[in-house]
């Protein structure tokens, strides 16, 4: 029996104590966070007012006030059982990082007290020389600083033996350059705020003080049994299977989507939700996804900065809690070939401090006009900067997903739905015509469109789709930190909001505002036609059609990342103070490097699996075949055993076939070794190109032959868990 077969008997749910009366979520929601209400209860009214002013108007608090908040935060955390604190930050690897310090401070021989100062709250200094900086910091000046981000509440992470206070932070170099994912996001929200306010003022909205982006990321993931996971080097090393024959039953019956959730999985989901609620993460939806053993969590949307922190925390919770249930949570974009991969649909919109969603069509024609102006800005942004949107999701994992036929293609287009499309067409033509009942009531004098807000039609294949009151960017990878895509969306839209405002200002010249606005919207509707697509984005015809429209279709990560360094993009990010040129180029280098490292890990893992698992299993089977053949032939000779000629021929062919397959696999694996050797002499850009153009196809080729072997080699000799087991045994 193979190890794989032995493991089969161990697979079962963990024993859980039944919870008789689960607590109401509202009774413990956010109990482990030092949110604004908790802060208010723990500090003086003066300091609290100062903190609020800092948040709304940017007036920084004094050191005494910071000391008071630090002390309050410490007391609160210690009362909850925390003994350590950490500045929690998001370096450019896309993961989160923490370096823990104890609260203790020595007061005399053998005596300590718990202490936490404002200085320590505001700033930390991890010895951070190993985080990627893309050349921003030389190692000799490797100091990186973490600085408290007061817009995201501190929280407590629990483990079995203790609790840690985590302080959301940004991570910067000695000279103040962003070394993380969060500072650019905060900067982009600031840019968006300014530009959106500019436009709103034009529309007479003087009451609004602040505009910010909102985000609700839908998180897809797989769960598989930990016994299987541990037997798959590829899942452990690379997060995805590098080999594995398709299961006879995949997702073709679509019997999993929204199906009954198995008890084992639902228990996992309950625990994740419970832990998430304690941290103030507003999880809302949970369901089965399309592929077997694929699931989704979606939260209620929040301010982007918070949503990004919460999504990072959620991914960590999911991984941690899965283990408690004997499961492993796979966040890779394409853990299994041939079935759906996982994405993270990024729902994005703009909100003001009065509680309005700026992408919500309004009740009155005037509101609708403002909505259309914002919509036009979005269209223009995507039209001009599709390359940046694509680059914001460029990474090794997502390369398997974008363009595969279950995921949005690498071609960026916008879906608006029938109603909005006809409204835009009408504005463009400036004619009065009925679209459908209730859509357009009045296109009279000022030609103000009136329409209902329930634009319910959906297109599940569009990479950038309008879904009623928000846009949904579907090309984001499931493992990605969402900060970068949000940063890009915020920045490109800030620029277009400025453009729209400026155009309307010029066109109206102080009078006839509505017509001027309509004129600008109409021009944008006309100019952006080529990125609007309402059909099936997965279809081959769309690729052709997009080619005709000369829309870029950048499949390779290296090529897409290169777009970050274009003149126009550097200028854009510099203008909006989101990235300096140096910061942007640094990111380009880091992400190319990460791509290469990912592929090298994959290739080396594949090499080991082929040499140490696949080929030996093949030899084992070869030996079995050769021995039987040998025995039969000698029996024929010694005892005159009657052997059917055709049967004998078949046996020989089968053996030859196995020998040939093993040979192919070995030959290509050796070629892969040589390719990796060759790559070592190349710089990162060349290397990434080589990996995309040659290494990836070679790995696919090896895989094809390995998968054929898997289907013929004796089940007893095959130690690697198979797709049909990992995906269907629950
Ligand atoms: P859909 O049916 O289009 O998927 P849902 O209402 O189920 O829409 O929402 C999907 C996700 O979009 C949820 O996470 C939700 O919180 C988020 N969302 C809804 N409105 C907004 C908004 N204004 N801004 C950002 N995200 C939003
Ligand atoms: Mg979804």
């Amino acid at each position: 029996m193979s190890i794989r077969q032995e493991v089969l008997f161990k697979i079962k749910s963990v024993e859980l104590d039944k919870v008789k009366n689960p607590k109401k979520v509202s009774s413990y929601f956010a109990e482990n966070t030092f949110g604004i209400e908790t802060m208010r209860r723990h500090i003086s009214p003066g300091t609290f007012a100062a903190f609020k002013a800092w948040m709304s108007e940017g007036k920084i608090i004094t050191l005494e006030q910071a000391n008071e908040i630090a002390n309050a935060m410490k007391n609160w955390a210690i009362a909850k059982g925390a003994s350590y604190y950490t500045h929690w930050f998001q370096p450019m690897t896309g993961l989160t990082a923490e370096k823990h310090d104890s609260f203790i401070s020595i007061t005399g021989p053998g005596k300590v007290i718990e202490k936490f100062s404002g200085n320590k709250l505001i700033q930390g200094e991890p010895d951070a020389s190993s985080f990627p900086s893309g050349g921003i910091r030389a190692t000799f000046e490797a100091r990186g600083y973490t600085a408290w981000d007061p817009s995201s509440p501190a929280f407590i992470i629990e483990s079995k033996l203790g609790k840690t206070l985590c302080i959301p932070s940004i991570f910067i170099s000695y000279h103040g350059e962003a070394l993380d994912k969060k500072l650019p996001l905060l900067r982009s929200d600031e840019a968006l705020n300014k530009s959106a306010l500019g436009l709103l003022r034009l529309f007479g909205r003087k009451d609004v003080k602040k505009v910010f982006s909102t985000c609700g990321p839908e998180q897809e993931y797989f769960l598989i049994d930990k016994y299987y996971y541990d037997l798959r080097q590829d899942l452990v090393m690379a997060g995805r299977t590098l080999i594995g024959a398709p299961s006879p039953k995949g997702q073709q019956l679509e019997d999993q989507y929204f199906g009954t959730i198995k008890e084992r999985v639902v228990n996992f989901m309950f625990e994740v939700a419970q832990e998430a609620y304690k941290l103030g993460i507003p999880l809302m939806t949970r369901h089965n996804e399309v592929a077997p053993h694929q699931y989704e969590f979606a939260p209620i949307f929040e301010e982007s900065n918070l949503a990004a922190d919460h999504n990072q925390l959620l991914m960590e919770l999911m991984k941690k809690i899965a283990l408690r249930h004997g499961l492993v949570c796979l966040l890779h974009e394409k853990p299994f070939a041939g079935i759906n991969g996982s994405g993270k649909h990024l729902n994005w919109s703009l909100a003001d401090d009065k509680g309005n969603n700026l992408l919500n069509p309004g009740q009155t024609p005037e509101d609708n006009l403002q909505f259309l102006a914002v919509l036009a800005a979005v269209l223009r942004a995507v039209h001009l900067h599709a390359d940046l949107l694509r680059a914001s999701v460029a990474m090794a994992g997502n390369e398997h997903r974008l363009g595969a036929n279950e995921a949005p293609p690498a071609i960026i287009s916008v879906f608006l739905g029938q109603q909005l499309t006809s409204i835009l067409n009408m504005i463009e033509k400036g004619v009065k015509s009925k679209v459908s009942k209730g859509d357009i009531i009045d296109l009279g004098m000022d030609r103000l469109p009136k329409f209902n807000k329930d634009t319910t039609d959906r297109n599940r294949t569009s990479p950038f789709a309008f879904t009623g009151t928000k846009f949904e960017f579907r090309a984001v990878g499931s493992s990605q930190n969402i900060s970068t895509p949000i940063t890009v969306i915020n920045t490109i839209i800030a620029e277009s909001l400025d453009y729209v405002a400026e155009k309307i200002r010029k066109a109206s010249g102080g009078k006839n505002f509505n017509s001027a606005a309509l004129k600008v919207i109409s021009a944008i509707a006309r100019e952006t036609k080529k990125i609007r697509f309402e059909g099936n984005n997965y279809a081959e015809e769309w690729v052709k059609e997009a080619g005709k429209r000369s829309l870029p279709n950048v499949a390779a990560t290296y090529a897409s990342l290169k777009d970050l360094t274009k003149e126009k993009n550097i200028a854009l990010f510099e203008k909006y103070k989101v990235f300096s040129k140096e910061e942007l180029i640094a990111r380009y280098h880091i992400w190319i490097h990460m791509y290469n490292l990912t592929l090298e890990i994959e290739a080396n893992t594949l090499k080991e699996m082929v040499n140490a698992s696949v080929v030996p299993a093949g030899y084992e089977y070869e030996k079995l075949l050769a021995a039987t053949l040998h025995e039969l032939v000698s029996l024929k000779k010694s005892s005159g055993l009657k052997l059917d000629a055709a049967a004998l021929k078949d046996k020989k062919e089968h053996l030859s076939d196995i020998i040939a397959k093993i040979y192919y696999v070995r030959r290509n694996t050796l070629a892969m070794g040589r390719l990796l050797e060759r790559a070592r002499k190349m710089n990162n850009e060349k290397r990434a190109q080589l990996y995309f153009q040659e290494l990836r196809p070679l790995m696919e080729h090896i895989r094809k032959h390995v998968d054929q072997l898997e289907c013929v080699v004796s089940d007893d000799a095959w130690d690697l868990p198979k797709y049909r087991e990992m995906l269907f045994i629950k």
Side-chain angles (χ1 to χ4, degrees), residues 189 192 211-215 302-304 348-351 486 490:
D189 237 4
L192 188 69
V211 176
F212 49 91
S213 61
T214 53
C215 177
E302 301 176 277
E303 253 182 73
S304 290
W348 180 97
S349 189
L350 286 154
I486 301 175
N490 285 353

Side-chain angles (χ1 to χ4, degrees), residues 206-367:
K206 304 227 158 49
D207 54 329
V208 175
K209 286 212 181 67
K210 193 179 157 193
V211 176
F212 49 91
S213 61
T214 53
C215 177
E218 301 169 46
Q219 177 72 54
E220 293 179 340
Y221 60 97
F222 280 86
L223 289 175
I224 65 161
D225 194 279
K226 180 147 190 326
Y227 282 113
Y228 284 144
Y229 175 83
D230 287 341
L231 287 177
R232 297 279 320 202
Q233 294 97 304
D234 46 6
L235 286 178
V236 175
M237 290 292 110
R240 74 178 183 102
T241 55
L242 300 166
I243 54 180
S247 161
K249 177 175 189 266
Q251 63 188 47
Q252 63 272 59
L253 297 176
E254 299 199 334
D255 48 356
Q256 144 93 4
Y257 192 47
F258 280 25
T260 319
I261 307 174
K262 290 275 178 299
E263 181 160 2
R264 186 176 185 193
V265 173
V266 105
N267 283 334
F268 157 83
M269 290 174 167
F270 267 118
E271 193 171 347
V272 170
Q274 210 169 54
E275 294 297 318
Y277 292 151
K278 285 192 209 163
L279 292 170
I281 305 172
L283 277 196
M284 184 69 181
T285 317
R286 58 185 196 201
H287 63 77
N288 282 355
E289 261 299 332
V290 175
H293 252 324
Q294 190 188 28
Y295 310 93
E296 179 183 299
F297 272 126
I300 297 173
F301 68 94
E302 301 176 277
E303 253 182 73
S304 290
N305 181 35
L306 215 50
D309 280 3
H310 282 166
N311 183 248
Q312 288 298 117
L313 274 176
L314 176 67
M315 290 193 288
E316 279 163 28
L317 282 180
M318 286 160 66
K319 285 192 274 191
K320 189 164 87 180
I321 290 165
L323 293 175
R324 295 185 196 155
H325 295 256
L327 297 164
V328 174
C329 172
L330 304 177
L331 291 171
H332 194 281
E333 284 70 21
K334 194 76 181 176
F336 302 97
I339 59 172
N340 276 11
S342 300
K344 183 141 56 192
H345 297 176
L346 202 69
N347 294 273
W348 180 97
S349 189
L350 286 154
D352 68 22
D353 59 344
K354 298 286 174 285
N356 300 306
N357 174 357
L358 304 190
L359 282 173
N360 201 354
Q363 298 297 328
T364 66
E366 284 73 18
D367 284 348

